[in-house]
């Protein structure tokens, strides 16, 4: 049963339950969160809408959660009103970092599994993350109202994974609300209350922050020790920055100012700060008059897995792009970027992303929210190159690949977990072998479901591996991966030359066996995209000084014989020879003009290339 609004003063820790909902993508986390908001009464019926906590247009359009959202709900059990702090988390592998931050702010997790699809790769990944954080896990089967649901079968699978009895697996329907009351009661009964010292100096962990155009940085915190009150002066322990607390409160699900936050509470702080770098996620907030001795540990920064260049189509938009990235960095702590220049594309930024979906979402947000037109270059990863003289070079961009004698090139590798129906084992093995993968092991979760573990080079999976995997398994396979160090590989840099001049933007680092195919494909693509010039232009692909592929763009020839009717053949020959001399001279002094569209189409992944051509 729901109660009215929460009290404005701090809630005793024993009445608080902090939990998050974790699951594979599209298993119904946001829908279940909607029902909880309705049943606890924090959102009125008339204000209710589907995916209430997904605030971004992109989230609503794609039906995915990108940002974690924290919300506070009251719930009455055993005649006592409890305060439930729920964090709805993303499900996609690229946003595992959001999930890890949310787990650090909780004592328990609701592990949600679709009763029609069963356990998938990201379910396992999120479960292991929760176990690493020593969280209490409540197993739940969602979507039991679907005709295709098999609750008995998947309850047994889930119980085997967690080590409980199948009867302990709760069955709910986020859509109809069946079983949600029982789930809320179980959250109160099973999850431990937060533990902390109320009399110690204040310590609160920043687990998220957003940028508000009017109020500056809004910081989401979880208080561990002590308490925070309005109008206090606070200090961020890693940056040593000091601020006045202008407002403090809870999110329920809109911001509600309160008289302070105590042990175990989750809420927000507003300090009026406009500089995005002052509020670092994972930092510890304490009182400047009575500071804590040590920050809250156990928190690591995300590692970018994929690098891509982002350039404004109009060079004058560069300062706007820099400001936009600064603001987006606050809403997305996993984004890493640094300025870079390209001879072909001008000024831009080299950005690090957690994966291909992350890259796509960031680019779309920059274009929508900040009204920018961008080109993104082909994604690539970081290589470690050792020269024969022992010098080591880190390469994040193919144009940085050194010339000269290279003794060793190391590339990052990942451990991938693929879950799929057992009939697709052959197709998956074939795909992974094509991508230079090596099988680590294989386990049958049930008669028809198999878990395969592979080591794969990251460069081979960042581009279209997931799409290929889905198409080869009719959409049934699910993929999760984590970094697993690096390995030596036979990699070469393929340069593209136009009329003998290297064009840095078209260079790529590829495996030796695939270099020829890349060279042929790129030369053919550029032949179509570059308009014909007044002289013949050779397009060449080269590894070092060895040419591996070539295409010619034929010259545009003026019909010089048009005025030459009748008469001796020697007159015509003389005119043609004269034209030939002119073409030769033009070739020596002329430069090949590559239109912007050709760069966009050749450099970007196909979708953005198509967009540019339209």
């Amino acid at each position: 049963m729901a109660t009215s609004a929460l009290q404005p003063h701090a809630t005793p820790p024993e009445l608080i339950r902090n939990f998050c909902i974790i699951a594979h993508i599209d298993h119904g986390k946001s829908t279940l969160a909607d029902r909880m908001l309705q049943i606890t009464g924090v959102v009125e019926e008339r204000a209710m809408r589907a995916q209430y906590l997904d605030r971004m247009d992109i989230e609503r359009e794609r039906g995915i959660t990108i940002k974690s959202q924290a919300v506070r709900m009251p719930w009455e059990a055993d005649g006592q009103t409890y305060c439930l702090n729920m964090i709805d988390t993303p499900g996609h592998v690229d946003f595992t970092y959001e999930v890890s931050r949310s787990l650090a702010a909780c004592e328990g997790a609701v592990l949600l599994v679709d009763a029609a699809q069963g356990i998938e790769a990201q379910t396992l990944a999120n479960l292991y993350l929760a176990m690493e954080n020593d969280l209490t896990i409540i197993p739940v089967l969602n979507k039991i109202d679907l005709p295709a649901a098999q609750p008995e079968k998947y309850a047994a699978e889930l119980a085997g994974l967690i080590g409980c009895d199948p009867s302990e697996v709760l069955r709910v329907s986020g859509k109809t609300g069946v079983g949600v009351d029982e789930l809320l009661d179980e959250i109160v009964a099973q999850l431990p209350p937060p533990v902390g010292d109320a009399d110690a100096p204040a310590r609160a962990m920043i687990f998220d922050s957003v940028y508000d155009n009017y109020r500056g940085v809004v910081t989401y915190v979880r208080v561990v020790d002590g308490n925070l009150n309005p109008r206090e002066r606070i200090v961020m322990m890693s940056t040593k920055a000091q601020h006045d607390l202008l407002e403090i409160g809870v999110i329920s699900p809109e911001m509600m100012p309160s008289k302070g936050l105590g042990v175990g509470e989750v809420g927000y702080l507003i300090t009026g700060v406009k500089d995005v770098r002052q509020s670092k996620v994972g930092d510890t907030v304490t009182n400047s008059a009575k500071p804590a001795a040590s920050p809250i540990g156990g928190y690591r920064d995300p590692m970018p897995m994929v690098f891509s260049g982002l350039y404004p189509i109009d060079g004058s938009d560069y300062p706007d792009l820099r400001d936009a990235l600064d603001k987006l960095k606050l809403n997305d702590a996993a984004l890493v970027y640094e300025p870079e220049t390209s001879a072909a594309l001008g000024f831009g930024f080299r950005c690090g992303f957690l994966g291909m979906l992350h890259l796509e979402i960031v680019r779309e947000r920059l274009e929508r929210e900040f009204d920018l037109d961008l080109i993104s270059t082909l994604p690539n990863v970081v290589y470690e190159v050792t020269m024969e003289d022992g010098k080591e070079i880190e390469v994040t961009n193919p144009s940085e690949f050194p010339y000269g004698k290279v003794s060793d090139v190391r590339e990052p590798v990942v451990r991938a977990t693929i879950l799929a129906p057992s009939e697709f084992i052959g197709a998956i093995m074939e795909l992974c072998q094509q991508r230079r993968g090596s099988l680590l092991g294989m386990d049958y979760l049930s008669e028809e479901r198999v878990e395969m573990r592979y080591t794969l080079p990251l460069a081979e999976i960042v581009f279209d591996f997931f799409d290929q995997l889905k198409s080869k398994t009719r959409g049934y396979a699910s993929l999760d991966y984590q970094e697993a160090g690096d390995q030596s590989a036979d990699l070469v840099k393929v340069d593209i030359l136009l009329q003998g001049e290297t064009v840095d933007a078209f260079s790529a680092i590829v495996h030796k066996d695939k270099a020829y195919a890349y060279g042929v494909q790129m030369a053919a693509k550029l032949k179509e995209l570059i308009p014909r010039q007044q002289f013949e232009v050779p397009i060449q692909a080269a590894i070092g000084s060895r040419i591996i592929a070539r295409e010619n763009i034929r010259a545009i020839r003026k019909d010089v014989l048009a005025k030459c009717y009748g008469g001796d053949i020697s007159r015509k020959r003389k005119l043609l020879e004269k034209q030939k001399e002119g073409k030769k001279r033009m070739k020596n002094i002329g430069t090949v003009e590559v239109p912007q569209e050709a760069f966009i189409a050749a450099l970007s992944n196909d979708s953005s290339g198509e967009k540019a051509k339209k």
Side-chain angles (χ1 to χ4, degrees):
M1 166 195 160
T3 64
S4 58
L6 290 150
Q7 308 310 311
H9 53 76
T11 310
E14 58 274 11
L15 297 181
I16 297 175
R17 299 289 183 271
N18 295 326
F19 71 99
C20 60
I21 306 177
I22 55 174
H24 187 81
I25 192 165
D26 206 23
H27 277 210
K29 293 178 296 300
S30 298
T31 311
L32 179 62
D34 286 350
R35 290 300 78 73
M36 288 184 171
L37 294 178
Q38 261 182 312
I39 289 170
T40 56
V42 291
V43 178
E44 293 174 18
E45 285 294 333
R46 64 193 175 88
M48 194 62 203
R49 56 175 188 187
Q51 279 100 38
Y52 189 88
L53 294 176
D54 290 348
R55 305 291 167 92
M56 274 186 266
D57 293 345
I58 302 175
E59 290 182 313
R60 305 187 69 76
E61 278 169 28
R62 292 179 176 233
I64 57 175
T65 303
I66 296 166
K67 284 284 296 170
S68 298
Q69 294 289 350
V71 63
R72 176 171 173 144
M73 307 176 294
W75 184 249
E76 196 170 288
D78 311 325
Q80 187 75 50
T81 302
Y82 289 86
C83 161
L84 307 182
N85 288 314
M86 174 188 68
I87 302 176
D88 179 24
T89 62
H92 195 279
V93 56
D94 283 9
F95 301 113
T96 306
Y97 176 60
E98 287 279 329
V99 181
S100 69
R101 293 208 314 251
S102 308
L103 293 172
C106 295
E107 276 80 40
V110 171
L111 180 68
L112 207 59
V113 171
D114 187 329
Q117 289 179 294
I119 294 165
E120 299 198 49
Q122 197 59 31
T123 314
L124 287 177
N126 287 338
L127 172 64
Y128 296 146
L129 268 178
M131 286 176 163
E132 277 173 32
N133 281 301
D134 293 331
L135 299 193
T136 305
I137 291 155
I138 300 177
V140 178
L141 278 181
N142 192 20
K143 305 192 186 182
I144 55 164
D145 57 314
L146 290 182
Q150 296 172 282
E152 300 308 321
K153 176 185 170 187
Y154 293 127
E157 225 179 75
L158 194 49
L161 187 68
I162 292 176
C164 65
D165 194 81
S167 62
E168 292 173 31
V169 177
L170 299 175
R171 292 162 173 75
V172 305
S173 166
K175 190 174 175 184
T176 63
V178 173
V180 179
D181 293 52
E182 290 81 1
L183 172 57
L184 289 166
D185 286 337
E186 285 301 315
I187 287 168
V188 169
Q190 290 192 33
L191 300 190
V195 179
D197 184 352
D199 301 320
R203 284 200 309 170
M205 188 189 85
I206 301 176
F207 67 88
D208 205 355
S209 51
V210 293
Y211 186 81
D212 184 300
N213 284 334
Y214 305 104
R215 315 183 76 182
V217 179
V218 180
T219 308
Y220 293 150
V221 296
R222 147 81 198 265
V223 180
V224 176
D225 292 327
N227 53 25
L228 291 171
N229 300 300
R231 299 293 161 192
E232 274 184 346
R233 194 156 178 75
I234 55 165
V235 61
M236 310 284 181
M237 292 187 81
S238 74
T239 58
K240 300 284 184 281
Q242 295 200 10
H243 311 290
D244 286 325
L245 258 186
L246 304 181
E247 189 181 305
I248 188 166
V250 297
I251 304 125
S252 183
E254 307 306 327
M255 290 186 194
M256 289 172 55
S258 75
K259 293 177 182 171
L261 294 176
V263 170
E265 287 196 283
V266 174
Y268 70 91
L269 313 174
I270 293 177
T271 55
V273 173
K274 291 283 192 286
D275 182 6
V276 293
R277 289 176 290 273
Q278 302 240 339
S279 189
K280 250 178 81 178
V281 169
D283 200 354
T284 302
V285 177
T286 187
N287 189 321
S288 66
K290 198 171 66 168
S294 61
I296 303 157
Y299 197 82
R300 62 189 181 89
D301 279 342
M303 290 290 293
M305 305 280 257
V306 179
F307 287 85
S308 174
L310 285 181
Y311 293 87
I313 288 177
D314 179 356
S316 62
D317 284 344
Y318 176 74
D320 297 341
L321 175 60
R322 187 180 54 223
D323 294 345
L325 281 167
D326 275 349
K327 285 180 183 166
L328 198 59
K329 166 80 177 166
L330 186 77
N331 286 346
D332 184 352
L335 178 63
V336 179
Y337 58 92
E338 58 182 40
E340 76 164 358
T341 53
S342 154
L345 301 171
F347 291 101
F349 288 90
R350 186 113 203 116
C351 303
F353 304 95
L354 300 178
M356 286 300 288
L357 179 72
H358 189 207
L359 186 160
E360 211 178 305
I361 295 291
V362 166
R363 183 180 159 173
E364 201 167 324
R365 285 186 70 184
L366 287 169
E367 289 184 343
R368 278 187 186 201
E369 295 173 23
F370 302 97
D371 201 21
L372 294 165
D373 287 323
L374 302 174
I375 307 169
S376 63
T377 61
L378 284 174
N380 64 313
V381 298
V382 182
Y383 299 96
E384 297 285 342
V385 180
T386 308
M387 307 300 285
E388 281 196 345
D389 59 4
K391 189 178 168 192
E392 293 198 354
I393 300 164
E394 187 178 82
V395 176
T396 59
N397 188 341
S399 60
E400 296 169 2
F401 199 88
Y403 290 99
K405 294 194 174 174
V406 173
S407 76
D408 185 34
V409 183
R410 299 188 71 78
E411 63 175 350
V413 290
V414 294
R415 271 185 59 129
T417 306
I418 300 167
L419 267 75
S422 47
E423 64 192 275
F424 298 116
I425 288 177
I428 293 170
M429 283 184 156
E430 186 188 351
L431 175 66
C432 292
Q433 274 159 0
Q434 282 171 3
R435 301 303 177 97
R436 300 189 282 130
S438 56
L439 184 66
L440 294 173
M442 200 161 84
D443 290 319
Y444 281 85
L445 295 178
S446 63
E447 284 174 23
E448 60 269 3
R449 283 169 71 74
V450 66
E451 176 189 341
M452 302 168 79
R453 293 180 300 284
Y454 266 92
T455 302
L456 286 153
L458 181 59
E460 295 284 348
I461 69 167
V462 294
F463 201 48
D464 63 346
F465 179 79
F466 189 60
D467 296 345
Q468 291 282 330
L469 181 68
K470 282 287 187 193
S471 61
K472 285 186 187 299
T473 59
R474 298 208 301 273
Y476 282 115
S478 57
L479 168 78
D480 176 55
Y481 59 85
Q482 64 242 22
E483 55 194 297
D486 53 14
Q487 67 178 19
S488 288
D490 200 355
L491 300 168
V492 291
K493 179 188 177 190
V494 178
D495 284 317
I496 302 293
L497 291 81
L498 287 180
Q499 213 185 329
E501 295 280 319
T502 305
V503 183
D504 69 332
F506 294 138
S507 302
I509 299 167
V510 290
H511 194 263
K512 204 170 184 179
D513 298 346
K514 296 185 181 177
Y516 174 70
Y518 174 80
V520 169
Q521 176 204 346
M522 204 64 179
K525 205 173 180 183
L526 288 172
K527 184 184 178 184
E528 283 175 29
L529 295 166
I530 296 174
R532 288 168 66 180
Q533 315 279 324
Q534 293 281 342
F535 47 90
E536 189 175 304
V537 177
I539 302 172
Q540 297 164 310
I543 298 174
S545 57
R546 188 163 58 92
I547 306 296
I548 57 169
R550 174 178 173 136
E551 293 277 0
N552 282 350
I553 300 175
R554 291 180 51 215
I556 304 172
R557 298 186 77 102
K558 182 183 171 189
D559 188 1
V560 291
L561 302 181
K563 63 177 189 281
C564 205
Y565 46 91
D568 189 17
I569 186 75
S570 59
R571 280 182 67 204
K572 294 184 180 178
R573 199 167 288 144
K574 188 177 170 189
L575 281 170
L576 288 172
E577 286 298 322
K578 196 173 172 187
Q579 187 187 31
K580 200 170 169 186
E581 286 295 316
K583 293 279 182 202
K584 215 181 238 175
R585 203 166 68 247
M586 192 184 281
K587 189 165 185 176
N588 288 339
I589 60 165
T591 55
V592 184
E593 286 182 12
V594 183
Q596 191 82 330
E597 288 74 33
F599 274 115
I600 299 167
L603 287 177
S604 32
N605 17 26
D606 289 335
S607 57
S608 35
E610 292 302 315
K611 196 161 103 181
K613 280 189 269 185
K614 277 175 191 166

